[in-house]
Amino acid sequence: MFKNFTVIRTEPRTEGDEENHEEMEEVALEGDAASTAKNTTEVQVQSESTNTTAASGKAAAASGKTETKRISMVVPGSVRSVEFSNLRANTAYVLQVYGSAAERKSKTHKATVITGPEPATEMVFSDVTDSSLNVSWSKPKTTFSGVRVTYTNIITGESRFVTVESHQSYVVLSKLSAGTSYIIIVTTTQGRTSSDILTSLMTTVPAPPTHLQVVNVTDTKAVLQWTPSQGKVDRFIISYESSKTPNVTVTVMLSGSSVEHQLRGLQRGTVYTVKVLSQKDSLQSMAISTTFTTPNLVKASEVGTRSAVIAWRTSTVVYYSYRLIYQVAGEETKEVILDQSSTEYKLTGLLPMSRYIVVVQGEREGQYTSVVTTEFITGKLRFPFPTECSQELLNGALQSGEVDIYPDGKEGGAVRVYCDMETDGGGWTVFQRRMNGKTDFYRTWNEYSAGFGNLSEDFWLGNELLHNLTTVGPVSLRVDLQSGNDTAYAHYANFTIDSAERHYTLAVSGYTGTAGDSMRYHNGRPFSTRDKDTDPLGIHCARAYMGGWWYKNCYKTNLNGLHGINSNNQGVVWIDWKGKDSSIAFTEMKFRPARFSPATHG
């Protein structure tokens, strides 16, 4: 174990060193004597108390001048490293170390070290964008071979570097993340050595938001929506101005988590330009912009319980088409596309006693501009949400046709049905029609349960809905038949269809009419189809006679048989009127509340 180590550093002497260092006596230093400096490899003095002595030997040169400077340091034997500071760049140093104890001295170990080049100075940033920046620096005056620029993303910790030739004093860093801070380090290099670092922190410009759009435009309000870009920002800045006051700009600042903003207090019939940019610290992104036009306010005309007329004037701007958008608050938006010659449109099928908001937009090259807007309230009805056609008749609908009814009230949603408002006082909900044979009635159980066909031609309304509509109260059934110029009907005072669990069993009684009581034979029978016969009494009737019906063994009427077939008993048949081999051309089955009185319905 050595008591001390002596470390000697020898370096070329520069001019002016002689006066200061002709004679240096050894000086003992207390504490951590190893100092930190540039242009040296850092080493640690692992001692809490270190004594060092600096001395200069007397020079002995043939010319009488000293050409080198020698500094020695004596440290305790427990120390394993020292650090030299204030070294000169690009300079060769000779280092020697030996240990001593009492009268003993170890072998001297010797190494030559060349310090790195001088560092660059004065780092400057320019042309900073959301994905790149320009770094420049002042080159050192001494020799170096190149420059290495390292940049580290402080969020992800990812580091990259680029190298440039010694004659170059700038570099462009690209593919950076927007709104992100980077640690930039510049070092000069000479061979395998490098200078001390020149370091700085720089943040890229935040990226602008994207997908800016204007929705829900009215005459005085509009909603801006956008998609934030990647990277956290401090705020969004919105600015907008109108064509009527181009020198007045309104600016709004929102939090960096915002994705929409409602503009209020706008002027009618005015073009607005809106810009949105993002900001982080003092850095602002480029702005994205869009324009929109607030519509003029018009008054709806001919507002009824279920309809209204919207009219607008032609514009000096040529639109290729119009889009009319209307909705009740809280309901789904509906729209209609109109051709460019349109100046009015009648809305039908509206909900009574409801407030509607309507916007008409003009389309030009795929872009829509609001032209007019209006609000109106539809009129009152005795039955705002009729559950079947007799209530719609009492609401004043006197013409037969397709109507929305609400079997479960407003909350249950609308069901489209066909109403017969003319036969025997009207108010009939039609659930079956055969007229042209376009629709196939040889269907499955599920198809008959859900319904099929065209309400204005051949159709079956559906067993599930039929069950719901015929079990809420006493219901009567009417069957209308026509073959050539002959017509007949059958009326049943009592009519219900049971649930799916009971196979949609038929209950019918109380016949009057001219067609004959063929339905009586089927009373109490379950419904059957080609894929389901729940109570067969012999053959599979639905398969044999190609329909879906309340077969027994098998039928006295088969109104869902094969249309236009007059043989093999497979046609549309009502035996008590035309027999088995005459297929009836037109049939219609319908129901209404048994209490309904045609003489007093108005």
Side-chain angles (χ1 to χ4, degrees):
M1 182 71 180
F2 294 106
K3 180 179 180 181
N4 297 305
F5 285 103
T6 301
V7 182
I8 303 171
R9 185 187 79 203
T10 304
E11 62 184 274
R13 183 182 298 277
T14 58
E15 189 175 349
D17 279 344
E18 294 182 41
E19 294 182 8
N20 297 328
H21 301 289
E22 282 185 0
E23 195 75 34
M24 291 184 64
E25 301 212 353
E26 294 187 353
V27 179
L29 302 178
E30 298 288 336
D32 291 329
S35 58
T36 302
K38 297 180 180 179
N39 295 313
T40 185
T41 302
E42 289 190 3
V43 290
Q44 297 179 350
V45 179
Q46 301 174 352
S47 173
E48 294 183 357
S49 179
T50 303
N51 295 322
T52 64
T53 303
S56 66
K58 294 185 178 181
S63 61
K65 288 191 176 181
T66 304
E67 297 180 354
T68 59
K69 180 170 64 176
R70 171 178 170 149
I71 297 175
S72 65
M73 303 173 64
V74 179
V75 297
S78 60
V79 175
R80 291 294 179 268
S81 63
V82 294
E83 179 180 313
F84 293 104
S85 60
N86 298 320
L87 305 181
R88 294 197 297 273
N90 290 330
T91 303
Y93 289 87
V94 178
L95 302 178
Q96 302 176 69
V97 60
Y98 61 88
S100 58
E103 300 298 326
R104 293 184 301 110
K105 175 182 175 183
S106 74
K107 177 183 176 181
T108 300
H109 297 273
K110 183 177 179 181
T112 300
V113 179
I114 301 175
T115 54
E118 283 189 64
T121 57
E122 299 177 0
M123 191 187 311
V124 176
F125 300 102
S126 60
D127 299 331
V128 181
T129 70
D130 59 352
S131 62
S132 65
L133 57 86
N134 189 322
V135 185
S136 60
W137 55 88
S138 295
K139 296 186 291 184
K141 296 179 180 180
T142 55
T143 302
F144 66 100
S145 59
V147 178
R148 176 185 173 114
V149 180
T150 304
Y151 50 107
T152 303
N153 185 317
I154 65 170
I155 296 176
T156 65
E158 180 185 8
S159 290
R160 299 177 182 176
F161 70 90
V162 293
T163 58
V164 296
E165 299 291 336
S166 61
H167 65 271
Q168 195 168 327
S169 59
Y170 72 92
V171 70
V172 177
L173 305 182
S174 59
K175 297 182 179 180
L176 306 180
S177 299
T180 302
S181 295
Y182 284 84
I183 298 173
I184 315 294
I185 296 175
V186 177
T187 55
T188 57
T189 59
Q190 178 70 31
R192 296 183 178 182
T193 62
S194 60
S195 70
D196 289 318
I197 63 173
L198 175 64
T199 183
S200 186
L201 184 69
M202 189 61 194
T203 303
T204 53
V205 172
T210 58
H211 304 101
L212 177 63
Q213 61 177 344
V214 186
V215 299
N216 300 337
V217 180
T218 70
D219 56 324
T220 59
K221 296 182 291 185
V223 175
L224 298 180
Q225 294 179 338
W226 61 88
T227 302
S229 59
Q230 291 185 347
K232 185 178 179 181
V233 298
D234 297 330
R235 64 189 61 84
F236 292 105
I237 301 176
I238 299 172
S239 60
Y240 60 97
E241 61 184 27
S242 74
S243 57
K244 295 181 180 179
T245 55
N247 296 323
V248 178
T249 301
V250 180
T251 302
V252 181
M253 292 190 180
L254 304 173
S255 73
S257 60
S258 304
V259 294
E260 69 175 28
H261 178 69
Q262 185 172 65
L263 305 179
R264 300 176 182 271
L266 306 179
Q267 296 176 291
R268 296 170 183 164
T270 303
V271 178
Y272 283 87
T273 300
V274 185
K275 297 180 180 180
V276 182
L277 57 84
S278 52
Q279 180 174 349
K280 183 174 183 179
D281 299 327
S282 61
L283 299 173
Q284 294 183 347
S285 72
M286 295 185 299
I288 57 172
S289 65
T290 189
T291 60
F292 68 94
T293 303
T294 52
N296 287 306
L297 184 64
V298 298
K299 186 176 182 180
S301 61
E302 302 178 32
V303 179
T305 55
R306 288 214 172 102
S307 64
V309 174
I310 310 299
W312 59 94
R313 295 178 180 178
T314 56
S315 171
T316 55
V317 178
V318 177
Y319 294 114
Y320 302 151
S321 65
Y322 289 97
R323 179 170 65 184
L324 187 149
I325 304 170
Y326 63 103
Q327 73 172 138
V328 178
E331 298 289 335
E332 182 180 356
T333 297
K334 298 180 179 180
E335 66 177 53
V336 180
I337 302 298
L338 307 171
D339 62 46
Q340 65 181 133
S341 63
S342 302
T343 57
E344 71 172 32
Y345 183 77
K346 184 175 183 178
L347 296 171
T348 58
L350 305 180
L351 298 175
M353 298 183 293
S354 300
R355 180 183 293 277
Y356 277 86
I357 300 173
V358 182
V359 177
V360 178
Q361 298 175 330
E363 180 269 328
R364 184 179 175 88
E365 297 179 351
Q367 300 296 318
Y368 286 91
T369 301
S370 297
V371 179
V372 296
T373 185
T374 189
E375 293 187 18
F376 61 85
I377 300 176
T378 50
K380 295 182 179 180
L381 284 177
R382 181 174 176 182
F383 297 99
F385 301 97
T387 58
E388 38 76 30
C389 289
S390 71
Q391 292 185 354
E392 183 68 1
L393 180 65
L394 295 174
N395 281 337
L398 303 178
Q399 293 184 340
S400 299
E402 296 182 23
V403 169
D404 285 335
I405 64 171
Y406 300 82
D408 298 318
K410 179 182 179 181
E411 301 304 322
V415 175
R416 196 76 169 168
V417 299
Y418 189 95
C419 294
D420 178 354
M421 301 302 195
E422 301 162 13
T423 304
D424 189 26
W428 298 100
T429 303
V430 181
F431 66 89
Q432 187 261 21
R433 185 187 300 117
R434 308 298 297 276
M435 62 183 291
N436 56 27
K438 291 182 179 180
T439 300
D440 179 15
F441 274 68
Y442 188 43
R443 303 270 186 149
T444 65
W445 178 269
N446 289 339
E447 288 175 306
Y448 267 100
S449 178
F452 54 85
N454 184 335
L455 287 176
S456 295
E457 296 183 357
D458 290 7
F459 75 94
W460 181 261
L461 188 60
N463 289 337
E464 190 62 29
L465 182 59
L466 196 54
H467 161 68
N468 293 337
L469 293 173
T470 61
T471 53
V472 293
V475 169
S476 63
L477 168 69
R478 180 182 174 98
V479 182
D480 283 304
L481 308 171
Q482 182 176 349
S483 184
N485 293 325
D486 294 341
T487 60
Y489 78 92
H491 183 275
Y492 293 88
N494 304 298
F495 170 63
T496 59
I497 301 298
D498 215 328
S499 65
E501 290 76 12
R502 295 182 177 272
H503 315 297
Y504 302 120
T505 297
L506 170 69
V508 62
S509 62
Y511 166 79
T512 58
T514 61
D517 190 8
S518 290
M519 287 294 288
R520 180 181 179 183
Y521 177 78
H522 300 274
N523 182 49
R525 292 300 299 163
F527 200 84
S528 61
T529 60
R530 71 187 192 192
D531 62 336
K532 187 171 184 178
D533 189 359
T534 56
D535 187 20
L537 298 179
I539 67 171
H540 195 305
C541 296
R543 292 178 183 171
Y545 296 103
M546 308 288 284
W549 196 250
W550 298 277
Y551 292 109
K552 191 173 182 180
N553 191 24
C554 270
Y555 69 81
K556 287 196 70 174
T557 177
N558 185 26
L559 298 188
N560 289 344
L562 297 177
H563 192 273
I565 300 299
N566 295 299
S567 61
N568 299 324
N569 304 328
Q570 290 185 328
V572 179
V573 175
W574 190 281
I575 290 179
D576 288 333
W577 186 46
K578 291 292 183 179
K580 289 185 176 181
D581 291 324
S582 178
S583 186
I584 301 170
F586 178 88
T587 71
E588 207 169 62
M589 303 179 74
K590 58 199 81 172
F591 68 88
R592 72 183 178 193
R595 65 181 181 277
F596 184 83
S597 173
T600 60
H601 73 259

